[in-house]
Amino acid sequence: MLDIVENCDPDDAQMQLVMREFPTFLDYYRQIRDAEPEYASKCIAHWRLFMQGPPNKPNKDKCGLIYVICHFLRSVADGHT
């Protein structure tokens, strides 16, 4: 997902995230959650931190897509999707 944000045209990136990455991620996450809920919770927290980048050098987010991804991950973790 981060590669898409950093390297794609913003419109193409949005389409790829919504049409391909989010559904695929959600499917894999549900499989992990069904097998190991605690591990899935730790993974999603790690993935959110990875998307944001380290505090001293956060990932560049020219178009606000990292915020969208983090919101999606938060929604998945809270069970809203």
Side-chain angles (χ1 to χ4, degrees):
M1 284 189 233
L2 187 58
D3 182 57
I4 291 171
V5 170
E6 293 178 337
N7 297 316
C8 289
D9 172 70
D11 293 331
D12 290 340
Q14 278 185 327
M15 292 303 293
Q16 286 185 27
L17 289 171
V18 171
M19 300 298 287
R20 188 182 66 204
E21 300 300 323
F22 288 169
T24 302
F25 177 87
L26 188 57
D27 180 49
Y28 288 141
Y29 176 76
R30 285 179 177 159
Q31 291 177 38
I32 294 170
R33 187 190 62 208
D34 291 345
E36 287 287 334
E38 186 176 331
Y39 177 69
S41 175
K42 290 179 182 182
C43 284
I44 207 141
H46 171 77
W47 293 326
R48 283 179 50 205
L49 290 173
F50 178 79
M51 290 305 300
Q52 294 168 347
N56 61 338
K57 190 175 181 191
N59 292 325
K60 294 180 182 176
D61 190 11
K62 300 174 198 167
C63 303
L65 292 175
I66 290 178
Y67 172 79
V68 170
I69 294 169
C70 288
H71 179 72
F72 168 76
L73 294 174
R74 198 172 310 114
S75 295
V76 169
D78 294 342
H80 296 295
T81 55

